[in-house]
Amino acid sequence: MAQVTKSLKTSSAVVPALLLTAICLPLGALAAAFVPAPVSYLFVALALICPIATLLQIVFFTFFDRDRLQNEEHVERKMMLTQMRSEIGDSNAVIEAKPAEMLIANPSAAEGNSV
């Protein structure tokens, strides 16, 4: 159980909202089923607030901050790769080598030998 909660804690910023939705939606629906009609609408509305808020959060993070939808390990690897970009190969750090004619020529084909 501890491993599950650890992975949920570090997976993304949306997980707490999803957990709140998973708790509030069934409780609100259950409460709405057992109370009279005028009050049941209040419980249905309260139960629907959590999924709507979660959906808005997902849409917001999709367009404005995609890293929040990823787990922490992914974001850390991405940050390490952006810091290492000059070591990996940047357009400013690339050195173009001049090809040597002897290295790219095929001597067997030039002499007319068939394999």
Side-chain angles (χ1 to χ4, degrees):
M1 186 68 169
Q3 187 66 22
V4 171
T5 56
K6 181 182 176 189
S7 66
L8 284 175
K9 181 184 78 166
T10 60
S11 44
S12 77
V14 182
V15 170
L18 291 172
L19 289 174
L20 183 66
T21 299
I23 293 169
C24 291
L25 194 60
L27 290 177
L30 187 66
F34 289 112
V35 295
V39 181
S40 69
Y41 299 135
L42 175 68
F43 283 112
V44 169
L46 289 174
L48 291 178
I49 287 175
C50 292
I52 292 170
T54 303
L55 183 65
L56 290 175
Q57 186 177 14
I58 291 171
V59 169
F60 177 78
F61 286 147
T62 299
F63 290 113
F64 294 108
D65 194 7
R66 289 180 187 242
D67 287 338
R68 297 261 179 133
L69 295 175
Q70 304 296 331
N71 62 9
E72 289 179 2
E73 293 172 0
H74 172 78
V75 174
E76 288 173 1
R77 281 192 300 258
K78 182 180 171 184
M79 287 172 40
M80 286 173 35
L81 285 174
T82 55
Q83 290 173 352
M84 292 172 40
R85 183 154 311 256
S86 61
E87 296 173 14
I88 292 174
D90 201 0
S91 62
N92 298 333
V94 174
I95 300 171
E96 190 172 326
K98 301 289 182 198
E101 186 68 33
M102 186 175 201
L103 293 175
I104 60 173
N106 187 352
S108 301
E111 295 172 6
N113 299 337
S114 61
V115 178

